[in-house]
Amino acid sequence: MKSILWAALALFCLAGTAGAQTPPTAEVLHWWTAGGEAKALRVIADRFQAEGGRWIDNPVAGGGGDAARTVAKTRLVGGKPPTMMQWHLGLSLKQLAEEGLLGDVDEVAKEGGWDAALPALIADNARYKGHYVAIPVGIHGENWLWTNPKVLADAGVSVPKTWAEFDAAAAKLKAAGVIPLALGGQGWQQVIVFNAVVLGTQGPGFYRKALVDLDAKALGGPEMVAVFEQLARIKGFIDPGATNRDWNEATQLVIKGRAAMQLMGDWTKGEFAAAGLQPEKDYGCDASPGAGQAYLVAADALAVPKLSDPAQRRGQLLMAKIAMDPKVQRDFSLAKGSVPARRDVPADGFDACSLKAMEKVRNSPDILPALGSSMGVGAAEAGAITDAVAQFFASSMSPTQGARTLRDAIDAIR
Ligand code: BGC
C-alpha cells in the first residue's frame, strides 16, 4: 500500500514538474537564412520567446527550399517531425496532408477568425478537408525585375517593358561591360526566369494552360519553342560565374553595380533593404517584361506536422497565435519583402515596391501560382519542369529540343 502511495506521489510530482517546467517548445525547420529572411523570422522567434516559448532554430540553407523540404520530408516520413516547418501553401502541402503527416491548428484558427482574416485563395490553400494544416505568413510574387538605375542610365537604357526591349537593353549593357542579368545557375532560379518568359511572351492564359493545366500541346508546341528561343538569348546575357551562385549573391552583384538586372521573387527586397537602399531611388522594382499586372504568387507558411509531444503541441498552438497576429505579420513582411497574408494589415509604412505588390495581390485579375512553389502543380511535376529547364541552361540543346524535353518530362510522370 505504502509503495503504491509513493509511486502515485512520484507520478504526481513528475507530471506537475513536467507541466510547470516544459515551456511551449518549437523546433522550426526553415530556409530563411539570407539577411532579410533571417530578420523576418526573428520577428516571430522574438515574440514566441517573449511569450514564454522555447525556440529551437533549425535552418537548412538553400534558397528556394529544395534542401529544407527534402530534410523535412525525410523526418516526417521517419516519424521524427520538426515542430513547425517552412512550406508553401498549395498542392505539395496538400500531398503531405493526404499522406496523414500533418496535424492542425483549428482551435486557434477558429478563435482568431482566420477564415475572415485571410483572402479566400490563401485560406483555401492552407486548409485540408476544412482543417488548417498550415499557418500562412506572407505572400510573395515571383515575376519581378530588380534593377540598378545608375547602371541602366550609364548604359543609356531604361527598364525594359517587353522581352524585345529586354534583349535590346541587355545587348547594350553587355557592350558597356556589365553583366546584363544576375542569375544563379540553380534550377529553382532558372525556373523563375522561365516562368517570367512564359508569362511575358505568351500571356497569362497560356501560362495557365502550360504550367497549371500541364496541357501537352502547350508544353511541346510552337509557343513553348518561342519561350526557349528567348531563354537561349538570355543565356547570352548571364556571366560564366553563375554556376551554383545563390540568389542573394546575385542580388549583391546588382547592388554593387556589377550587374544591371535580376529576375527574382520579392524576397529580394529584403536584401536591398538590409543594405540600406531605398526603392525606386537606389534600386528599381518592376513587373517582369510583358507581365503587366499579372502576378505569379508563392505563399509562405509554417506547416503543422502531426506530433504527440505535449510541449511541442503547445508550441504549435502558440506559434499559430503569434504568426497570425496582425503586428507580427506586418513586421515580418516589412523585413521579408512579402505582402502580409492577412488582409486587414494596414498598408501604411510599406514602401513603394510593397505597395505595388499589395495592389496586385488585392486587385490583379491574373493571380497565378508560381511554378516553384507548387501551388498550381504537385511537387513531382514542378520538379520535372525545373529539371528540364535546368538541362536547357546547362547544355547547348536547341529551343525545339528544349520544348520537347519539357513535354517528355511531364509525359514521363503522368
Ligand atoms: C520562399 C521565400 C524565400 C525564397 C528564397 C522561396 O521559396 O517562398 O520565402 O525567401 O524561397 O529562399
Side-chain angles (χ1 to χ4, degrees):
M1 182 64 190
K2 209 170 164 191
S3 63
I4 295 177
L5 269 177
W6 273 115
L9 188 66
L11 248 169
F12 177 78
C13 292
L14 206 69
T17 44
Q21 279 180 359
T22 317
T25 300
E27 185 219 331
V28 183
L29 194 152
H30 63 90
W31 67 93
W32 284 319
T33 55
E37 296 176 329
K39 214 171 147 201
L41 186 61
R42 227 162 21 241
V43 172
I44 299 179
D46 286 353
R47 179 75 176 272
F48 187 76
Q49 282 164 326
E51 296 213 6
R54 189 159 74 97
W55 178 279
I56 303 166
D57 200 48
N58 186 3
V60 180
D66 288 339
R69 282 189 297 269
T70 305
V71 172
K73 190 83 203 277
T74 308
R75 289 190 49 187
L76 289 181
V77 173
K80 293 194 167 54
T83 319
M84 307 293 317
M85 53 192 207
Q86 181 188 349
W87 212 263
H88 288 126
L89 296 185
L91 280 186
S92 78
L93 178 78
K94 291 197 172 162
Q95 284 166 344
L96 295 182
E98 266 159 24
E99 289 168 43
L101 299 169
L102 300 183
D104 67 64
V105 285
D106 288 347
E107 51 195 283
V108 178
K110 201 157 176 236
E111 204 188 308
W114 289 16
D115 285 354
L118 295 167
L121 176 78
I122 298 300
D124 289 349
N125 279 290
R127 282 186 306 238
Y128 176 70
K129 294 194 172 161
H131 301 290
Y132 276 98
V133 294
I135 310 162
V137 289
I139 305 168
H140 277 300
E142 283 197 0
N143 59 310
W144 288 92
L145 182 69
W146 306 92
T147 49
N148 182 317
K150 182 167 181 323
V151 172
L152 292 189
D154 287 352
V157 299
S158 42
V159 177
K161 297 272 178 268
T162 63
W163 280 100
E165 284 180 25
F166 175 92
D167 293 342
K172 276 196 178 172
L173 289 158
K174 193 171 175 179
V178 286
I179 303 165
L181 186 70
L183 179 66
Q186 300 167 345
W188 74 276
Q189 295 188 56
Q190 293 161 336
V191 107
I192 283 181
V193 174
F194 168 76
N195 282 347
V197 173
V198 172
L199 179 67
T201 60
Q202 310 302 322
F206 180 85
Y207 179 97
R208 186 173 286 286
K209 225 168 160 195
L211 299 182
V212 181
D213 303 341
L214 301 177
D215 177 275
K217 273 203 200 116
L219 286 170
E223 295 93 341
M224 197 54 85
V225 175
V227 166
F228 279 95
E229 279 165 358
Q230 181 61 51
L231 284 188
R233 288 192 287 277
I234 289 173
K235 278 167 76 176
F237 297 134
I238 57 184
D239 66 312
T243 318
N244 252 325
R245 174 189 289 144
D246 286 329
W247 68 271
N248 51 326
E249 288 172 30
T251 310
Q252 289 302 321
L253 292 178
V254 178
I255 290 176
K256 296 197 176 105
R258 290 197 42 224
M261 307 182 269
Q262 183 181 13
L263 283 157
M264 186 50 62
D266 50 3
W267 47 86
T268 309
K269 203 169 66 81
E271 293 304 289
F272 286 110
L277 303 183
Q278 296 302 317
E280 301 216 305
K281 183 171 153 269
D282 305 321
Y283 67 96
C285 52
D286 291 271
S288 56
Q293 282 295 97
Y295 206 42
L296 305 182
V297 298
D300 280 335
L302 292 167
V304 184
K306 185 179 275 174
L307 44 77
S308 52
D309 175 62
Q312 288 188 69
R313 178 63 192 147
R314 287 201 303 278
Q316 289 182 332
L317 297 175
L318 179 60
M319 190 76 75
K321 197 180 105 207
I322 285 171
M324 269 291 284
D325 176 90
K327 172 147 174 35
V328 170
Q329 288 235 331
R330 177 176 188 274
D331 293 348
F332 177 89
S333 272
L334 282 174
K336 184 79 172 60
S338 47
V339 169
R342 298 183 70 103
R343 48 178 172 203
D344 55 359
V345 175
D348 56 273
F350 282 90
D351 66 27
C353 302
S354 292
L355 294 180
K356 286 186 194 176
M358 276 184 192
E359 166 63 22
K360 291 183 205 199
V361 165
R362 293 175 183 171
N363 297 320
S364 168
D366 291 310
I367 296 284
L368 292 154
L371 183 88
S373 72
S374 68
M375 187 185 266
V377 297
E381 290 80 0
I385 293 175
T386 305
D387 288 349
V389 170
Q391 234 177 301
F392 183 79
F393 268 95
S395 69
S396 54
M397 69 170 81
S398 71
T400 311
Q401 284 169 319
R404 198 175 307 142
T405 306
L406 182 74
R407 191 202 50 205
D408 291 352
I410 289 297
D411 269 358
I413 55 167
R414 262 189 226 271

